[in-house]
Structure formats: C-alpha cells, structure tokens
Amino acid sequence: MIPARYGASRFPGKLMQDLGGKSVIVRTYQAAKNTGLFDEVYVVTDSDIIREEIENNGGKAIMSKKTHESGSDRIAEAVENMDVDIVVNVQGDEPFTSKKGLQQVLDVFNGKDAHTIDLASLMTEIDDWKEISDPNCVKVITDEDSFALYFSRSPIPYPRDKNADVKYYKHKGIYAFRKEALMDFYRLPMRSLEAVEKIECIRYLEYGKRIKMAVTTAQGVEIDTPEDLVEANRLLKKEDKKSVNNKFRNFPMVPKVVFGAGCFNQLPEILAPQRQKNAPFIFLVDDVFKNNNDLINRIKLRFNDKLIFISADKEPETEQIDQLVKEITSEFKKKPSGIIGIGGGTLLDIAKAVSIMLTNDGSAADYQGWDLVKKKAVYHIGIPTISGTGAEVSRTTVLLGPVRKLGINSDFTPFDQVVLDPDLTKGVPKNQWFYTGMDCFIHCVESLNGTFLNAFSQSYGEKAYDLCKEIFLEQSTTEAEARAKLMMASWHGGMSIAYSQVGVAHAMSYGLSYVLGTKHGIGNCIVFNQLEEFYKDDVVVFKKMVKKHDIEIPKGVCANLTDNQLDKMIEVALSLVPLWENALGDDWQTLMTPEKLKALYLKM
Ligand code: NAD
Ligand code: ZN
C-alpha cells in the first residue's frame, strides 16, 4: 500500500512532479509493482488527481474516505475490509524503492521468531555525526535479536565516552505489518512519547508491540524538497545511461582474421581443425552466387557439409532465423561444426543469428536487445562479399522481429573468424557498391560528430573516414586498391561505432526501413542527403561523391505516406534513444521533436 497525500506541507503537489518523464507517484507505484513481491499494489489517496494519474497509467488506486493524521491510518482504513495477512507500507515519495529493501522487510516474517513479530521495519547504519545529531533523522536502537527498543530524534544511545564503539542506525520508513497490528494502530489513541517525538511507530512500543528491524544498505532517495527532485532527475539520467550506453564497454573483438586478395582459398585449411566428427559445416551463401561456379567450387564441401542459398532481397527477420535453425536441427542429429556466412550485411547477420540460435532455446525474437544471449554460439565465420556495413566486426546482428527492428547484441554475436578477401567484392553492382560504402562513411560521420566520441572510436573513425574520401573522391586509386581499402574502411568504421554510437541518419533510416522496407544502405543515403542541419560539411562531401559516381538518390519516398505510417516512422525513429543522445546530447528531446522529425521526413 502506498499512502499518497496530495498536499505535502514542505513541497505541495510533489507526487505529481515530473521525474524523468513520469510523475513521482507513478514511478513509486511501478517500482513497487516491478519487484514482483506483492499480490496486489494500491495507491491510497485523498486526491482525485492522484487517483486518475495512477489509473491512467494502468495502476490501482483507492480513495480514502476520511482525513487522516498519518500514512498508516490511511492504509489501515483501506485494508480494514480486505482479506490480507501482511501489509507493506511503501512511501509515495520514494520512487527508487528497491526490491532488496522490500524483500528484507518481508523476510523477517519467515524467521523462526515470526510468530512473535507484530511488524517489521528497516534501518540503515549511519556514521556521520552531523546526521546522527540531526533531529530530522530518526534513530533506532534494538536488542540483541533486532527488536526495536526505542526510536528517537535524539542521538541514541548517547555516547558519554566519545570513543566508545557504538553503531548508529537511521530508521527507514518502510513497514510490513500483520493486519491486526495495523488495525490496532488505527484504533488506539496516541500516547505521550509518540506525541512528544512525533514518530508514529513509537505508538506500537507504547502499546507493547514487537517491532523487528532488518538492516539494509539499499539507498532510497526521498523527494522532500524541490532540490531533492532535481537530484533525483540527475540520478535517473545517470542510471539510464549506465544501463546501456555510457559505462565502460568491455567488448569482444574478432579473434582471428585473414586478409588479402585470394585468401578465400585458405578456407578449407581454416576449417579443418574446427571440424568435429559427423558434424557438418553449414554454408549460408547469398543466392547472387548461385551460378557462380568459381566461388562455389572453392568452398570445397566435405562429408555431410551443407550449402544453403539465401536471398538478400529482404533484410533478415527473426522468423526466417527460426525457420533456418529448424531446418538444420531436423536434418542433422549433431550440432554443426560451424556456420559460415558468405555475402553482404544481410548474410553475415543471418549467419551470426543462426549460430546463436543453435545453442539457445526459443525464438530469435527473444534475444533482440542487449546481452540477452546466455550460451556461447556455435563456431561461426563471416566472409563479406560487399564492403561497408561493418557487420563483419560488430557485436550485433540486426533483425526485423514481430514488434521491432533491433539487434541481438551480445558477447557471443561476433564471428570467431573473418575472411577478408577483397576479390570477392568484384561483381558488386555500382549503385549497391555506393550505398553500402556510404553506410561506412555515415558510420564514421555519426561517430566522429557524436557526443560519445572518445580516442578509441576516433582513431578508427578517422582512418575509415579518410579511406572513404580516397575511395569515393580521388582518381589515383586502382580498382583493386579501392576494393582492399573499402574492405578495411568497413572494418574500421565498425570498430569506431563499437565504442560510440551511430546518429541521426541511422535513427531515421530505421524508421524508413520499418515502415517502407527500405534497405539499410540506400535508406541511409536517402536520409543523409537531407541532413545538412546536423552534419553540414559531411553532407557536402557526400553530395560530391554522389555526383562524381552519378548515383541516383531516390526522392519523395515519404510523399504518399498516410498519417498513421508517418506517425509510426516517427515513433520508431524516436525510440532509438542512445542514437539521439549520441547525436544531440542529453537535451536531444528539446532539439528533436516529433513535429521537426515529420518535417524532415517529408523532405525525403
Ligand atoms: P546486402 O547484404 O543486403 O546485399 C546487397 C545486395 O548486394 C544484395 O542484392 C546482394 O545479393 C548483393 N551482393 C552482395 N555481394 C555481392 C557480390 N559480390 N556481387 C554481386 N552482388 C552482391 O547489403 P549490405 O548493405 O552489405 O547489408 C545490409 C544489411 O546489413 C542490412 O540488413 C542491415 O541491417 C545490416 N547491417 C548490419 C550491421 C551489423 O553491425 N550487424 C551493420 C550495418 C548493417
Ligand atoms: Zn549502418
């Protein structure tokens, strides 16, 4: 039960204040609910505003009928006619209420002495004398079995000898009551000690009840003042970032790579030591090579090895991965010795995903996100036949799922071996060469202009950026040189975003792709062409490249969209928070509104 009074004396309306996009009370409610510890969670309030706020956010609220002196009275009224054993009181202004603390207060009722306990509460050790002597901080002392002896605003015990070895505990306002104890509190009048200290739980002691205390280290943040709110907002931002993007990354890199024109011939040698008895290698090959006997013959299938041709016309889908895995596991009793992906970003991503799903249960859609993969993938090799995406080095495999387009981002995603043979990219059609090459150029621009940039990303990004300029703008390079350089640019571009993030063009291109099925490379080009406002000089360079190679960038792709489609596009793009944060900084939401994004899309 979360007692929630609208008119707090020190900070009126505080429970309705904004905390990272949600009201304080909704955050508290969801924090309690998300612990999964309770059969039911209710907010008990005197205010229609708070009731509506909770109900509009899918929660349950109860209006208290009477005016109450305290939160305990308020929840007592609400549970009077409910059939419950234990009632936990969570403060409405503690939005960071943690599962750990609540679990501790509930665990008290599982101990040997549970039957002697009327209620349980939490305390935390403090050692700063300023806090110990602060009357706003309620101290508690207990007996050897952790039953509360007294609560006070004075320092207790009083240290006559200043060097005495004594611990001080601060009381935290989380309680778990047996229902009878709570109802007693409600009915029994206040006595003198409670009245003089103005500490509710002294009433229990004055009526001879037993309060068991548990020690917690969980740090809550109470919102008592506008300054607390500012601090809480700051904390929340920090937490959010830590969870995905701004902690120090500890990522795996491809452990083995072979490079050079013709090195593809070395594949059988590379595979031999990895071959396990009766376990085939499965080659997933772009079907553009179906009639390319030269390439197919060089694969040198052995024993029960299997070759599967796959079209790259559509971007990979989770359902497609599940289907492939089913096909492989139903044909072979033994897990494959390895999966070899041969093709562009599409085939490389399919190979990574299949190798993961051969050792992890369920559907590929279950693993879209960060670090959801639990088991090491089957040995997998990536052999790019077109350069630019960086998929050969990246820690992700981008999939279109039933509800989202999102990568399986994990330590098990990267290839165990990559074969970089620039000759394999010989047959790539010119437009496609340009679009996929520009994916690399745009990775560099977004990484180098992003707020997440550090020396690690910069060192890779700058090299790849310069290579792209050489390849796409200068005359001097031969075709063979250009192929080799683009292959390395792709690699470096991928490494650059491994420790930073992409930006505006990728966020918007994901929106296009989700709604219109626009492919990654061309989608990026369509978008980037209109992004002078964000990447001014680089858009000029890009346009020069387009002109030099006489490439056509489609225009007007959003002209005939329905409002619904446009809204969905905007929603998908804006949901990619880390990309916007990298591109525009912490205040990105004020710089990129849905209206602004709409105007940009309509230009494309
Ligand atoms: P692609 O794999 O879709 O291939 C593009 C076209 O080029 C296809 O028609 C293909 O058949 C053809 N092609 C490939 N090699 C050829 C060759 N040697 N000769 C003739 N034709 C050839 O293109 P892409 O741009 O490399 O990859 C795009 C995909 O990569 C998207 O699905 C995107 O989501 C993904 N991607 C992944 C990452 C990652 O880090 N995992 C990064 C960027 C993009
Ligand atoms: Zn990309």
Side-chain angles (χ1 to χ4, degrees):
M1 308 297 275
I2 306 171
R5 193 158 67 94
Y6 186 80
S9 48
R10 276 215 277 173
F11 184 2
K14 67 179 181 180
L15 296 181
M16 290 299 292
Q17 297 291 321
D18 177 79
L19 179 53
K22 293 176 185 171
S23 60
V24 171
I25 189 66
V26 165
R27 285 228 173 247
T28 307
Y29 183 85
Q30 291 176 344
K33 184 103 193 156
N34 290 342
T35 62
L37 294 171
F38 307 111
D39 297 316
E40 295 283 358
V41 178
Y42 293 99
V43 166
V44 191
T45 182
D46 59 350
S47 145
D48 281 319
I49 301 174
I50 290 182
R51 179 181 55 79
E52 276 173 29
E53 169 74 359
I54 291 297
E55 288 176 353
N56 289 341
N57 283 281
K60 294 186 184 172
I62 297 174
M63 290 297 285
S64 40
K65 298 185 198 75
K66 307 182 193 138
T67 50
H68 293 288
E69 300 248 333
S70 72
S72 304
D73 288 320
R74 196 179 298 285
I75 64 175
E77 184 207 298
V79 298
E80 193 163 17
N81 297 314
M82 286 185 191
D83 181 20
V84 293
D85 306 316
I86 308 273
V87 180
V88 175
N89 176 346
V90 173
Q91 309 276 30
D93 58 5
E94 288 236 16
F96 298 102
T97 293
S98 74
K99 176 165 180 172
K100 195 169 153 207
L102 292 170
Q103 180 81 61
Q104 281 176 307
V105 79
L106 281 172
D107 281 347
V108 167
F109 290 96
N110 294 323
K112 273 206 287 293
D113 53 2
H115 62 283
T116 71
I117 297 168
D118 295 301
L119 66 149
S121 191
L122 292 179
M123 58 186 190
T124 186
E125 194 179 338
I126 49 175
D127 54 16
D128 177 358
W129 185 252
K130 218 172 121 216
E131 197 175 13
I132 295 167
S133 54
D134 178 357
N136 286 317
C137 162
V138 173
K139 274 73 62 181
V140 56
I141 44 174
T142 68
D143 68 13
E144 288 290 306
D145 296 318
S146 299
F147 282 97
L149 293 171
Y150 192 58
F151 298 87
S152 181
R153 296 182 184 277
S154 303
I156 46 173
Y158 183 81
R160 188 176 139 178
D161 171 2
K162 290 284 183 258
N163 296 316
D165 182 22
V166 56
K167 284 185 173 167
Y168 285 89
Y169 291 98
K170 170 184 178 171
H171 180 219
K172 301 192 73 169
I174 291 178
Y175 300 95
F177 308 91
R178 289 195 187 281
K179 182 178 169 184
E180 311 88 83
L182 180 61
M183 297 320 296
D184 283 351
F185 177 90
Y186 188 33
R187 289 181 202 117
L188 298 168
M190 189 187 293
R191 286 187 165 168
S192 59
L193 293 174
E194 178 188 352
V196 67
E197 292 254 17
K198 298 232 170 357
I199 298 173
E200 265 177 68
C201 51
I202 294 180
R203 189 179 312 179
Y204 295 99
L205 297 178
E206 288 185 277
Y207 283 98
K209 307 253 183 224
R210 308 246 296 160
I211 308 180
K212 179 123 177 173
M213 305 299 295
V215 181
T216 180
T217 51
Q219 287 296 328
V221 180
E222 251 173 76
I223 312 284
D224 268 337
T225 62
E227 294 75 45
D228 290 341
L229 188 69
V230 172
E231 176 62 18
N233 263 306
R234 210 182 50 81
L235 249 172
L236 199 67
K237 250 193 174 147
K238 226 164 100 188
E239 287 292 309
D240 274 1
K241 272 197 185 164
K242 260 209 318 235
S243 61
V244 195
N245 266 297
N246 262 14
K247 62 184 172 191
F248 296 112
R249 306 233 183 120
N250 186 8
F251 52 86
M253 298 177 43
V254 172
K256 290 196 109 176
V257 53
V258 51
F259 172 84
C263 74
F264 182 65
N265 289 340
Q266 225 162 295
L267 185 60
E269 243 173 83
I270 291 169
L271 292 181
Q274 303 295 337
R275 188 180 289 281
Q276 287 153 34
K277 201 160 178 259
N278 298 330
F281 280 108
I282 313 281
F283 296 82
L284 306 177
V285 183
D286 191 318
D287 72 357
V288 77
F289 297 110
K290 214 166 189 168
N291 300 316
N292 184 331
N293 288 331
D294 172 50
L295 183 118
I296 302 303
N297 291 336
R298 287 156 76 201
I299 288 179
K300 300 221 181 348
L301 296 181
R302 303 258 164 96
F303 310 105
N304 54 353
D305 288 351
K306 188 179 171 78
L307 194 155
I308 305 175
F309 287 110
I310 298 173
S311 160
D313 287 350
K314 277 194 319 177
E315 303 214 321
E317 295 181 6
T318 53
E319 214 179 301
Q320 179 188 16
I321 303 301
D322 295 344
Q323 191 52 42
L324 275 163
V325 169
K326 219 167 118 194
E327 195 180 313
I328 295 168
T329 49
S330 58
E331 185 171 344
F332 300 99
K333 271 216 245 18
K334 287 201 77 173
K335 264 197 183 55
S337 295
I339 303 293
I340 297 108
I342 305 180
T346 302
L347 265 290
L348 296 182
D349 277 0
I350 291 175
K352 293 189 207 178
V354 167
S355 70
I356 288 170
M357 293 313 299
L358 280 165
T359 54
N360 289 274
D361 296 334
S363 160
D366 304 337
Y367 300 94
Q368 285 180 283
W370 275 268
D371 300 309
L372 302 174
V373 180
K374 294 284 172 297
K375 293 186 198 146
K376 192 171 183 299
V378 163
Y379 174 79
H380 49 302
I381 300 191
I383 307 183
T385 64
I386 177 170
S387 302
T389 64
E392 63 279 11
V393 271
S394 81
R395 188 183 177 268
T396 187
T397 155
V398 185
L399 301 175
L400 195 68
V403 282
R404 56 181 158 258
K405 180 173 174 180
L406 187 63
I408 299 182
N409 210 303
S410 83
D411 278 356
F412 305 118
T413 310
F415 290 110
D416 297 295
Q417 166 85 57
V418 168
V419 176
L420 296 179
D421 183 342
D423 277 357
L424 298 183
T425 66
K426 268 181 186 164
V428 176
K430 186 171 171 198
N431 272 328
Q432 188 63 56
W433 163 78
F434 188 83
Y435 298 143
T436 301
M438 284 304 108
D439 192 20
C440 174
F441 179 70
I442 295 169
H443 289 163
C444 300
V445 170
E446 292 184 318
S447 169
L448 292 171
N449 291 284
T451 59
F452 293 179
L453 188 68
N454 60 21
F456 187 103
S457 307
Q458 192 177 0
S459 65
Y460 287 104
E462 283 176 351
K463 185 69 210 172
Y465 182 92
D466 290 345
L467 284 169
C468 285
K469 271 177 72 175
E470 275 178 50
I471 298 156
F472 292 99
L473 285 180
E474 285 166 22
Q475 313 286 359
S476 56
T477 35
T478 66
E479 275 191 26
E481 263 172 10
R483 278 197 295 273
K485 283 183 177 172
L486 188 53
M487 200 153 240
M488 286 324 297
S490 174
W491 182 276
H492 281 72
M495 283 306 302
S496 178
I497 46 177
Y499 212 143
S500 63
Q501 191 42 279
V502 284
V504 181
H506 273 75
M508 293 190 66
S509 165
Y510 269 40
L512 276 188
S513 158
Y514 191 91
V515 174
L516 295 174
T518 314
K519 294 200 70 187
H520 189 79
I522 193 170
N524 284 349
C525 290
I526 293 170
V527 173
F528 197 71
N529 207 23
Q530 306 288 350
L531 292 187
E532 286 95 345
E533 183 184 342
F534 303 97
Y535 306 111
K536 191 160 169 265
D537 298 342
D538 296 313
V539 173
V540 172
V541 174
F542 171 80
K543 288 188 166 162
K544 256 192 215 158
M545 294 172 174
V546 171
K547 190 150 177 250
K548 177 167 159 73
H549 296 284
D550 195 18
I551 303 291
E552 206 177 313
I553 306 292
K555 288 226 174 82
V557 291
C558 294
N560 298 319
L561 290 180
T562 65
D563 282 348
N564 273 348
Q565 283 178 309
L566 207 48
D567 287 345
K568 184 74 201 172
M569 207 174 260
I570 291 166
E571 184 197 320
V572 170
L574 289 180
S575 73
L576 298 162
V577 174
L579 282 64
W580 294 106
E581 267 182 7
N582 176 44
L584 307 175
D586 283 349
D587 292 332
W588 68 271
Q589 273 162 315
T590 55
L591 301 168
M592 182 48 75
T593 59
E595 296 72 43
K596 174 139 197 201
L597 198 52
K598 186 171 179 171
L600 274 171
Y601 270 130
L602 289 174
K603 267 170 72 179
M604 282 159 194

